[in-house]
Amino acid sequence: MPLEISGLVKRYGRGADAREVVRGLDLKLQRGECFALLGPNGAGKTTTLRCALGLTEASAGHIRLCGLPVPGQAREARARVGVVPQMDSLDPDFTCAENLIVFAGYFGIHEREIRPRVPELLAFAGLEGKETARIQSLSGGMKRRLTLARALVNRPELLVLDEPTTGLDPQARHLIWERLRRLTAEGTTILLTTHFMDEAERLAHRLAILDTGRILAQGSPREVIAAHIEPQVVEVFGDWTEADSAGGSGAAAWAAAHAGALSHRCEISGETAFCYTDDAPPLLAHLARQPGLRTLHRPANLEDVFLKLTGRELRD
Amino acid sequence: MPRSEAPPIPVTAHFAPPRLSLRLVAVWRRNFLVWKKLALPSIVGNLADPVIYMLGLGYGLGLLVPEVEGVSYIAFLAGGTLAYSTMNAATFEVLYSGFSRMHVQKTWEAIMNAPIALDDIVAAELVWAASKSCLAGVAILAVIAAFGFTTSPLALAAIPVVFLTGLCFAALGLIMTALAPSYDFFMYYFTLFITPMTLLSGVFFPQGQLPDSVQAIAAALPLSHAVSLIRPLLLGHVPAQIGLHLGVLALITVLAFWLALGLTRRRLLK
C-alpha cells in the first residue's frame, strides 16, 4: 500500500498551551488512485503530509509509506516518493536541466542516467527546449510544472502534491490536471491537498474532507455528495418584499418567510439564500411567482458539502 | 488498529547525536556546482580584501615596525591574514549563503523531500563552507608565496590547518544561522564576536602587547589557536603545543556542530 496512516495525532506545545493540529486521522491509499485531502486553511493538511514523509515526528499513531515504517525508515521510503511542495523551492542558481540533474543526485541517480531523460521530463511538464533557461525567467506556472518534473526524477510510486495549482492561471491548472491524470493512468498513486473543489471533483478517485485535524467525510466525490447533502440546490437572490411582512427585504427576508416550508434546509450567505432540497419543482414554482427574485437551480456539488461540514465563516 | 499514545517528543531529541549518510556528498556537490559557476569572482572576492590589507598594512606599518618576533612585519602579518581570512570566508558562507539556502530559497526543504535527512544537509553545509574557505586560503597562500613572504615547504602543512579552521568557524556560524530571524541578525555576530576576536587573536600584533588580564581570554579564542598553528608553519617551523591547538579547534568544531544541528532540527523539523 503506498500510504497507510492510522490514529495520527500531531500536537504542538505542551501542558496547557498544547494545541492538537491533527486529531486521530486514519487514511489508506490504494495503488494507482488519486486521493485528495480537502480542507480550509489550518485544517491540518500540510501537517499530515509532513508527518507522512517523516519530516516531523507524529505525537501518536502509525504511518507506513511505501510499505516502510515512518519515521524509522522515512529516508528509504522517500526514495520512492515524489513531492511537489506548496512553496517554490527550485534552485535559482541552476538552469532547468541542472535543477533536474542536481535533484536526481539527491536520490543517488547518476548524471549519465538522468541526462538522457531530461528532455522527456521537460516535455512532460510542457517545458520543451527550456533546458538552459534560468529559473528567474520562468512564470509561476512554468515553475510549478518544473517542480512537478523534478518530483518525477526518481520515477516515484507515490506523488505527493501540496496545493499544486494554488496561484496558477486556468490554462496552467488544466495542464497540470491533464498531466496528473496521465500519471494515474500509468499507475502512479497521487496524494494531493487542495482547497479547490473543482480540482478534487475532477481529479480525485477518492477524497477526504478535513477540518480542525479530523476527517469529516471520506469516499468518492459522488459518494461524499450523496451521503452528506440533499441532491438539489436552489440559490435565491435579488429583491423581495411582501406586503404583510414585518419588515426586511431581499432573499434573506424571503427565506425567513417561505424557505422552511419549501426546502429541506436553507442557508443564508451574504445576499444569497441556498435552499437544499430533494424535490425542487414546488420551490421553483413558488419562486416563479416572485418577480424580484432571481434563482439558480443546480445539482449539489462538493463545495456545498464542504461548506456544510466546515462552515461558512472565514479561516485565516 | 489500537491508538498508541506516544509520549511527547522530549526537547533533548533535537540534541541527539547526528545520524549521517553518504548522501551528504550530493548536497556538498550542489554547493560546489553553484560555486563553480562563479568561481573566479568568488576567489577574487575572498582574496582581494585580505591581500589588500596585508600589503597595505604590511608595507605601510612595516616602515614603522621594522621587525616583530624576529621577522619582518609583513611576514608576521602573512600567517595572521591567512587565518582570519579563512575564518571570514567560512563564516560568511554559512551565515549569508547558508541562510539563503535554508530560509529564503527553501533549498534545504526541497532536499529533505529526497532521501536525505536534515543532519546530512547541515553536515554538508559545514564541510562545504570549510572547503570553500580552504580554496580561498590556498589562493591567499599562493599570493603570500609569490611575494616571498613564505619560503618554507612547511607552509603546505598550513592547508589542512586552514581546512580545520574553516570547519571550526563554519560550525560556530551555523549556530547563528539556526537562530537567525533575518540577515540583519548576523551583524551582531560580526560586531560582537568576529571583529573583536580578529583584533585580540594576534593577527595584526603579538598577543604579548595586550594587557595581562586580556591575554588569558585572548589566548582561549578559537582564532588564536588557528594563528598559533598557521603563523609558525608559514615561517618554517613546527608550532609549539601543536596537539593542544589542533585539539581545541577540533573540539570546538564538534561541540558547535552538535549545538547548531540541535538548534536547526528544532527550527525546521516541527
Side-chain angles (χ1 to χ4, degrees):
Chain A
M1 207 175 282
L3 178 64
E4 202 178 345
I5 296 176
S6 60
L8 178 67
V9 174
K10 179 64 185 179
R11 203 179 292 119
Y12 289 109
R14 53 191 62 228
D17 298 331
R19 198 161 51 85
E20 277 193 348
V21 178
V22 180
R23 305 189 291 168
L25 184 137
D26 301 295
L27 207 62
K28 279 194 175 79
L29 261 64
Q30 307 298 329
R31 191 164 298 282
E33 76 172 338
C34 176
F35 192 100
L37 272 181
L38 280 170
N41 290 334
K45 304 185 297 286
T46 302
T47 304
T48 301
L49 294 188
R50 287 178 59 80
C51 288
L53 292 168
L55 300 177
T56 186
E57 204 158 347
S59 308
H62 296 276
I63 300 167
R64 289 187 87 82
L65 181 63
C66 295
L68 299 171
V70 171
Q73 284 180 272
R75 198 199 306 235
E76 292 82 352
R78 285 203 303 271
R80 292 149 64 184
V81 176
V83 180
V84 177
Q86 200 177 112
M87 302 278 199
D88 168 40
S89 62
L90 293 164
D91 222 316
D93 297 302
F94 292 131
T95 64
C96 291
E98 287 166 342
N99 260 283
L100 301 180
I101 292 165
V102 170
F103 202 76
Y106 302 145
F107 288 83
I109 302 169
H110 199 274
E111 186 172 342
R112 61 176 175 269
E113 239 178 290
I114 188 71
R115 195 173 274 285
R117 286 181 56 218
V118 165
E120 162 209 333
L121 284 164
L122 288 177
F124 182 83
L127 295 166
E128 293 91 344
K130 290 280 181 195
E131 275 83 352
T132 57
R134 300 199 53 87
I135 299 306
Q136 292 90 327
S137 71
L138 303 182
S139 70
M142 290 161 106
K143 283 182 188 165
R144 200 68 59 87
R145 274 142 54 199
L146 184 59
T147 306
L148 174 61
R150 188 181 72 174
L152 299 174
V153 291
N154 59 327
R155 304 181 193 271
E157 294 166 34
L158 171 67
L159 183 62
V160 177
L161 304 104
D162 196 2
E163 299 188 10
T165 65
T166 298
L168 300 190
D169 63 23
Q171 287 83 351
R173 296 177 69 196
H174 279 272
L175 187 128
I176 291 207
W177 291 343
E178 192 271 320
R179 295 304 198 263
L180 294 183
R181 271 195 293 267
R182 206 194 281 183
L183 286 169
T184 47
E186 290 166 2
T188 309
T189 310
I190 291 180
L191 172 61
L192 63 89
T193 74
T194 183
H195 41 234
F196 296 121
M197 301 303 130
D198 54 339
E199 186 160 288
E201 229 166 327
R202 278 159 197 260
L203 284 179
H205 300 110
R206 289 194 305 137
L207 58 91
I209 295 180
L210 191 67
D211 196 16
T212 58
R214 284 184 215 279
I215 290 180
L216 304 177
Q218 189 168 182
S220 74
R222 276 163 188 263
E223 284 166 6
V224 168
I225 293 167
H228 290 276
I229 206 152
E230 302 78 4
Q232 308 283 314
V233 186
V234 178
E235 294 181 24
V236 181
F237 47 98
D239 299 321
W240 184 82
T241 34
E242 199 170 52
D244 60 349
S245 81
S249 64
W254 167 83
H258 298 287
L262 291 161
S263 67
H264 190 251
R265 200 163 55 83
C266 185
E267 286 179 20
I268 311 293
S269 179
E271 305 280 287
T272 305
F274 292 80
C275 300
Y276 296 91
T277 178
D278 308 319
D279 180 25
L283 171 61
L284 292 169
H286 162 85
L287 286 166
R289 296 191 298 274
Q290 316 296 323
L293 285 176
R294 290 192 287 156
T295 60
L296 173 66
H297 176 211
R298 59 176 175 80
N301 61 28
L302 212 45
E303 186 148 324
D304 298 308
V305 180
F306 186 86
L307 290 170
K308 180 186 172 191
L309 295 179
T310 65
R312 287 181 185 271
E313 70 276 19
L314 280 181
R315 305 300 179 88
D316 293 306
Chain B
M1 208 179 288
R3 182 169 307 165
S4 69
E5 274 300 311
I9 308 161
V11 178
T12 50
H14 291 307
F15 293 93
R19 288 179 57 199
L20 302 176
S21 80
L22 276 178
R23 287 278 160 84
L24 69 87
V25 175
V27 182
W28 183 93
R29 194 164 169 273
R30 178 244 165 242
N31 291 344
F32 174 73
L33 290 173
V34 174
W35 175 83
K36 216 173 72 176
K37 290 193 166 208
L38 297 163
L40 193 66
S42 168
I43 291 263
V44 170
N46 281 320
L47 194 60
D49 202 60
V51 166
I52 289 167
Y53 267 90
M54 181 178 70
L55 296 179
L57 290 176
Y59 285 123
L61 276 180
L63 290 174
L64 309 171
V65 189
E67 268 198 357
V68 180
E69 293 178 350
V71 294
S72 74
Y73 181 60
I74 200 159
F76 172 87
L77 194 56
T81 299
L82 181 53
Y84 94 82
S85 63
T86 301
M87 168 185 78
N88 278 346
T91 304
F92 265 98
E93 182 63 20
V94 291
L95 261 58
Y96 290 92
S97 306
F99 189 75
S100 289
R101 291 190 283 264
M102 173 185 78
H103 187 73
V104 183
Q105 294 174 195
K106 310 274 178 210
T107 311
W108 294 9
E109 223 166 88
I111 298 172
M112 278 191 279
N113 288 326
I116 295 185
L118 182 61
D119 293 18
D120 291 327
I121 298 174
V122 180
E125 290 287 349
L126 174 84
V127 179
W128 163 248
S131 310
K132 187 179 169 182
S133 69
C134 195
L135 286 166
V138 168
I140 291 168
L141 190 58
V143 172
I144 290 170
F147 276 91
F149 305 142
T150 181
T151 49
S152 165
L154 261 186
L156 290 175
I159 296 173
V161 177
V162 162
F163 187 75
L164 179 61
T165 304
L167 283 176
C168 178
F169 285 100
L172 287 168
L174 280 168
I175 298 172
M176 293 298 118
T177 308
L179 294 171
S182 72
Y183 291 111
D184 299 327
F185 181 76
F186 299 136
M187 197 47 103
Y188 297 115
Y189 185 61
F190 277 101
T191 51
L192 298 177
F193 185 63
I194 294 290
T195 306
M197 184 163 53
T198 310
L199 292 170
L200 294 175
S201 296
V203 171
F204 300 108
F205 53 87
Q207 280 178 319
Q209 302 296 312
L210 294 166
D212 290 342
S213 52
V214 182
Q215 273 189 35
I217 302 166
L221 293 169
L223 185 59
S224 298
H225 295 284
V227 173
S228 301
L229 290 165
I230 293 173
R231 176 170 291 137
L233 289 171
L234 262 56
L235 296 173
H237 39 87
V238 176
Q241 293 180 303
I242 190 162
L244 170 76
H245 297 308
L246 288 173
V248 170
L249 289 176
L251 184 69
I252 295 173
T253 303
V254 170
L255 292 178
F257 176 71
W258 170 73
L259 179 59
L261 180 61
L263 293 169
T264 311
R265 284 172 177 162
R266 194 183 66 177
R267 176 174 183 146
L268 295 182
L269 300 183
K270 36 176 212 262

